[in-house]
PDB file of all heavy atoms in Angstrom:
ATOM      1  N   THR A 332     208.452 150.119 240.733  1.00  0.00           N
ATOM      2  CA  THR A 332     207.567 150.093 239.564  1.00  0.00           C
ATOM      3  C   THR A 332     206.251 149.435 240.011  1.00  0.00           C
ATOM      4  O   THR A 332     206.176 148.789 241.014  1.00  0.00           O
ATOM      5  CB  THR A 332     208.196 149.339 238.397  1.00  0.00           C
ATOM      6  OG1 THR A 332     208.743 148.075 238.881  1.00  0.00           O
ATOM      7  CG2 THR A 332     209.344 150.231 237.818  1.00  0.00           C
ATOM      8  N   SER A 333     205.245 149.538 239.100  1.00  0.00           N
ATOM      9  CA  SER A 333     203.951 149.019 239.383  1.00  0.00           C
ATOM     10  C   SER A 333     203.927 147.459 239.300  1.00  0.00           C
ATOM     11  O   SER A 333     204.822 146.878 238.821  1.00  0.00           O
ATOM     12  CB  SER A 333     202.918 149.542 238.414  1.00  0.00           C
ATOM     13  OG  SER A 333     203.061 149.055 237.105  1.00  0.00           O
ATOM     14  N   GLU A 334     202.821 146.878 239.761  1.00  0.00           N
ATOM     15  CA  GLU A 334     202.682 145.416 239.730  1.00  0.00           C
ATOM     16  C   GLU A 334     202.715 144.899 238.353  1.00  0.00           C
ATOM     17  O   GLU A 334     203.316 143.930 238.098  1.00  0.00           O
ATOM     18  CB  GLU A 334     201.346 145.109 240.461  1.00  0.00           C
ATOM     19  CG  GLU A 334     201.191 143.511 240.673  1.00  0.00           C
ATOM     20  CD  GLU A 334     200.645 142.815 239.372  1.00  0.00           C
ATOM     21  OE1 GLU A 334     199.968 143.440 238.597  1.00  0.00           O
ATOM     22  OE2 GLU A 334     200.960 141.613 239.183  1.00  0.00           O
ATOM     23  N   GLY A 335     202.095 145.649 237.436  1.00  0.00           N
ATOM     24  CA  GLY A 335     202.036 145.247 235.990  1.00  0.00           C
ATOM     25  C   GLY A 335     203.434 145.227 235.411  1.00  0.00           C
ATOM     26  O   GLY A 335     203.772 144.348 234.613  1.00  0.00           O
ATOM     27  N   ALA A 336     204.239 146.215 235.779  1.00  0.00           N
ATOM     28  CA  ALA A 336     205.604 146.313 235.250  1.00  0.00           C
ATOM     29  C   ALA A 336     206.480 145.249 235.820  1.00  0.00           C
ATOM     30  O   ALA A 336     207.315 144.638 235.182  1.00  0.00           O
ATOM     31  CB  ALA A 336     206.177 147.697 235.494  1.00  0.00           C
ATOM     32  N   GLN A 337     206.331 144.983 237.135  1.00  0.00           N
ATOM     33  CA  GLN A 337     207.117 143.984 237.832  1.00  0.00           C
ATOM     34  C   GLN A 337     206.883 142.601 237.226  1.00  0.00           C
ATOM     35  O   GLN A 337     207.816 141.814 237.032  1.00  0.00           O
ATOM     36  CB  GLN A 337     206.823 143.995 239.314  1.00  0.00           C
ATOM     37  CG  GLN A 337     207.376 145.252 240.010  1.00  0.00           C
ATOM     38  CD  GLN A 337     206.927 145.298 241.451  1.00  0.00           C
ATOM     39  OE1 GLN A 337     206.939 144.247 242.189  1.00  0.00           O
ATOM     40  NE2 GLN A 337     206.422 146.410 241.941  1.00  0.00           N
ATOM     41  N   ARG A 338     205.652 142.209 237.007  1.00  0.00           N
ATOM     42  CA  ARG A 338     205.349 140.884 236.533  1.00  0.00           C
ATOM     43  C   ARG A 338     205.801 140.669 235.102  1.00  0.00           C
ATOM     44  O   ARG A 338     205.908 139.543 234.665  1.00  0.00           O
ATOM     45  CB  ARG A 338     203.855 140.599 236.636  1.00  0.00           C
ATOM     46  CG  ARG A 338     202.957 141.358 235.803  1.00  0.00           C
ATOM     47  CD  ARG A 338     201.512 140.981 235.790  1.00  0.00           C
ATOM     48  NE  ARG A 338     201.351 139.638 235.203  1.00  0.00           N
ATOM     49  CZ  ARG A 338     200.228 138.898 235.236  1.00  0.00           C
ATOM     50  NH1 ARG A 338     199.129 139.403 235.897  1.00  0.00           N
ATOM     51  NH2 ARG A 338     200.146 137.754 234.656  1.00  0.00           N
ATOM     52  N   SER A 339     206.102 141.778 234.426  1.00  0.00           N
ATOM     53  CA  SER A 339     206.511 141.695 233.035  1.00  0.00           C
ATOM     54  C   SER A 339     208.058 141.779 232.822  1.00  0.00           C
ATOM     55  O   SER A 339     208.514 141.885 231.710  1.00  0.00           O
ATOM     56  CB  SER A 339     205.840 142.819 232.202  1.00  0.00           C
ATOM     57  OG  SER A 339     204.401 142.798 232.445  1.00  0.00           O
ATOM     58  N   THR A 340     208.758 141.872 233.902  1.00  0.00           N
ATOM     59  CA  THR A 340     210.183 142.136 233.889  1.00  0.00           C
ATOM     60  C   THR A 340     210.973 140.930 234.285  1.00  0.00           C
ATOM     61  O   THR A 340     210.621 140.256 235.342  1.00  0.00           O
ATOM     62  CB  THR A 340     210.581 143.347 234.808  1.00  0.00           C
ATOM     63  OG1 THR A 340     209.880 144.473 234.337  1.00  0.00           O
ATOM     64  CG2 THR A 340     212.031 143.585 234.763  1.00  0.00           C
ATOM     65  N   ARG A 341     211.974 140.559 233.554  1.00  0.00           N
ATOM     66  CA  ARG A 341     212.773 139.294 233.847  1.00  0.00           C
ATOM     67  C   ARG A 341     214.188 139.681 234.390  1.00  0.00           C
ATOM     68  O   ARG A 341     214.752 138.911 235.180  1.00  0.00           O
ATOM     69  CB  ARG A 341     212.931 138.526 232.577  1.00  0.00           C
ATOM     70  CG  ARG A 341     211.692 137.927 232.036  1.00  0.00           C
ATOM     71  CD  ARG A 341     211.902 137.303 230.678  1.00  0.00           C
ATOM     72  NE  ARG A 341     210.745 136.718 230.172  1.00  0.00           N
ATOM     73  CZ  ARG A 341     209.691 137.436 229.660  1.00  0.00           C
ATOM     74  NH1 ARG A 341     209.775 138.768 229.576  1.00  0.00           N
ATOM     75  NH2 ARG A 341     208.643 136.877 229.210  1.00  0.00           N
ATOM     76  N   ILE A 342     214.794 140.728 233.869  1.00  0.00           N
ATOM     77  CA  ILE A 342     216.230 140.917 233.968  1.00  0.00           C
ATOM     78  C   ILE A 342     216.501 142.069 234.946  1.00  0.00           C
ATOM     79  O   ILE A 342     215.719 143.104 234.964  1.00  0.00           O
ATOM     80  CB  ILE A 342     216.874 141.230 232.620  1.00  0.00           C
ATOM     81  CG1 ILE A 342     216.496 140.189 231.598  1.00  0.00           C
ATOM     82  CG2 ILE A 342     218.404 141.362 232.716  1.00  0.00           C
ATOM     83  CD1 ILE A 342     216.899 140.471 230.201  1.00  0.00           C
ATOM     84  N   ALA A 343     217.520 142.002 235.716  1.00  0.00           N
ATOM     85  CA  ALA A 343     217.902 143.018 236.714  1.00  0.00           C
ATOM     86  C   ALA A 343     218.253 144.326 236.099  1.00  0.00           C
ATOM     87  O   ALA A 343     218.499 144.425 234.876  1.00  0.00           O
ATOM     88  CB  ALA A 343     219.070 142.492 237.618  1.00  0.00           C
ATOM     89  N   ILE A 344     218.260 145.395 236.880  1.00  0.00           N
ATOM     90  CA  ILE A 344     218.540 146.755 236.418  1.00  0.00           C
ATOM     91  C   ILE A 344     219.786 146.782 235.607  1.00  0.00           C
ATOM     92  O   ILE A 344     220.760 146.146 235.942  1.00  0.00           O
ATOM     93  CB  ILE A 344     218.504 147.710 237.617  1.00  0.00           C
ATOM     94  CG1 ILE A 344     218.644 149.176 237.191  1.00  0.00           C
ATOM     95  CG2 ILE A 344     219.657 147.347 238.594  1.00  0.00           C
ATOM     96  CD1 ILE A 344     218.467 150.180 238.265  1.00  0.00           C
ATOM     97  N   GLY A 345     219.758 147.611 234.562  1.00  0.00           N
ATOM     98  CA  GLY A 345     220.978 147.788 233.758  1.00  0.00           C
ATOM     99  C   GLY A 345     220.997 146.944 232.478  1.00  0.00           C
ATOM    100  O   GLY A 345     221.752 147.266 231.557  1.00  0.00           O
ATOM    101  N   HIS A 346     220.166 145.911 232.401  1.00  0.00           N
ATOM    102  CA  HIS A 346     220.103 145.066 231.239  1.00  0.00           C
ATOM    103  C   HIS A 346     218.806 145.316 230.493  1.00  0.00           C
ATOM    104  O   HIS A 346     217.711 145.101 231.131  1.00  0.00           O
ATOM    105  CB  HIS A 346     220.270 143.617 231.578  1.00  0.00           C
ATOM    106  CG  HIS A 346     221.550 143.335 232.363  1.00  0.00           C
ATOM    107  ND1 HIS A 346     222.754 143.253 231.713  1.00  0.00           N
ATOM    108  CD2 HIS A 346     221.796 143.157 233.692  1.00  0.00           C
ATOM    109  CE1 HIS A 346     223.700 143.029 232.583  1.00  0.00           C
ATOM    110  NE2 HIS A 346     223.154 142.903 233.761  1.00  0.00           N
ATOM    111  N   PRO A 347     218.769 145.713 229.266  1.00  0.00           N
ATOM    112  CA  PRO A 347     217.517 146.056 228.610  1.00  0.00           C
ATOM    113  C   PRO A 347     216.748 144.836 228.205  1.00  0.00           C
ATOM    114  O   PRO A 347     217.307 143.790 227.987  1.00  0.00           O
ATOM    115  CB  PRO A 347     217.990 146.818 227.318  1.00  0.00           C
ATOM    116  CG  PRO A 347     219.426 146.319 227.099  1.00  0.00           C
ATOM    117  CD  PRO A 347     219.972 146.019 228.415  1.00  0.00           C
TER     118      PRO A 347
END
Side-chain angles (χ1 to χ4, degrees):
T332 50
S333 72
E334 188 278 333
Q337 290 174 44
R338 69 173 291 173
S339 310
T340 300
R341 295 171 178 78
I342 308 173
I344 186 171
H346 301 285

